[in-house]
Amino acid sequence: MEALPDTSAFAAKLQNTLIQYHSIEDDKWRVAKKMKDVTIWRKPSEEFNGHLFKAQGVIDDFVNAVIDHIRPGPCRLDWDSLMTSMDILEHFEENCCVMRYTTAGQLWNIISPREFVDFSYTVGYNEGLLSCGVSLDWSEKKPEFVRGYNHPCGWFCVPLKDNAKQSLLTGYIQTDLRGMIPQSAVDTAMASTLINFYGDLRKALQKA
């Protein structure tokens, strides 16, 4: 296995970065796509030459059930239509791991399948949970995939004040897909992927 940074310090820095994103003022975001039950915004990323996306919608389930479906584990593969494989490479604690996963091609395969190796961390946040991650520079690669890179990203899930059986799910995603892809294609794919993510998640929770 490859040497990893000090896990607790790395996790704390990642958590603080996501909390900073969560406090960005509303007028800094531009609507990228809006559906009746999900809104996607974007703003230029400070990490790379692309966009930081924000997604938000209400999910009809408890916080723990929602995050259990999102964080690394067998549950995620069952419902996430974009994800084609997932392996836990290293486990530190119950809430902290390194995972490798692959994604399907998008936009009629203009964007070919991708592989990611991410550090993932789940922690309590304001009566709810935050599940966050960031890619690692892992040398072992699968030759049939382009290696993508997730800059700090994560999902905040908190119960609605007037109904704990419903959760407000807010995500921050900034993925560098790498390869020769026009930025406009990436932006279209990201907004659609996030809309589909909420739809797939809702269906999976209804079945659970």
Side-chain angles (χ1 to χ4, degrees):
M1 282 294 165
E2 305 193 17
L4 289 165
D6 172 23
T7 308
S8 56
F10 196 63
K13 182 182 177 188
L14 176 61
Q15 178 185 349
N16 288 337
T17 299
L18 266 295
I19 290 169
Q20 285 173 10
Y21 294 161
H22 207 40
S23 63
I24 294 172
E25 294 168 0
D26 289 347
D27 63 2
K28 302 281 192 242
W29 298 98
R30 183 180 141 208
V31 173
K33 195 159 188 174
K34 190 174 174 72
M35 307 292 278
K36 116 178 145 213
D37 47 11
V38 189
T39 303
I40 314 296
W41 297 266
R42 76 181 194 207
K43 69 179 289 296
S45 170
E46 294 180 6
E47 299 283 344
F48 76 119
N49 186 28
H51 287 100
L52 169 63
F53 285 83
K54 175 182 177 180
Q56 191 170 73
V58 172
I59 305 287
D60 289 326
D61 215 322
F62 294 97
V63 165
N64 282 357
V66 175
I67 291 295
D68 278 345
H69 275 68
I70 290 175
R71 65 177 160 193
C75 197
R76 178 73 180 265
L77 261 183
D78 286 344
W79 65 267
D80 189 337
S81 59
L82 187 63
M83 199 173 278
T84 52
S85 74
M86 178 196 289
D87 299 298
I88 305 297
L89 300 178
E90 199 156 331
H91 231 126
F92 303 108
E93 302 158 32
E94 187 185 348
N95 65 339
C96 193
C97 69
V98 174
M99 66 167 177
R100 173 167 49 208
Y101 69 94
T102 56
T103 59
Q106 301 174 69
L107 291 181
W108 305 280
N109 233 34
I110 292 172
I111 300 173
S112 62
R114 290 299 195 265
E115 176 197 34
F116 298 86
V117 175
D118 285 9
F119 174 86
S120 176
Y121 176 60
T122 302
V123 65
Y125 175 82
N126 278 11
E127 299 179 12
L129 290 166
L130 163 63
S131 184
C132 50
V134 64
S135 284
L136 301 172
D137 288 318
W138 203 262
S139 58
E140 182 195 335
K141 295 182 180 178
K142 294 185 176 181
E144 66 271 32
F145 291 93
V146 175
R147 172 67 63 80
Y149 192 94
N150 286 313
H151 293 278
C153 56
W155 296 92
F156 290 87
C157 191
V158 294
L160 291 189
K161 290 194 171 92
D162 52 353
N163 184 359
K165 291 180 182 177
Q166 288 186 308
S167 304
L168 181 66
L169 181 65
T170 308
Y172 297 90
I173 307 293
Q174 49 185 342
T175 301
D176 185 351
L177 291 171
R178 295 178 171 169
M180 304 296 288
I181 313 168
Q183 189 60 47
S184 59
V186 173
D187 292 342
T188 299
M190 288 302 301
S192 298
T193 294
L194 288 165
I195 295 286
N196 292 339
F197 182 92
Y198 276 80
D200 288 348
L201 177 58
R202 288 188 175 108
K203 283 178 199 163
L205 287 163
Q206 284 168 3
K207 288 180 192 170

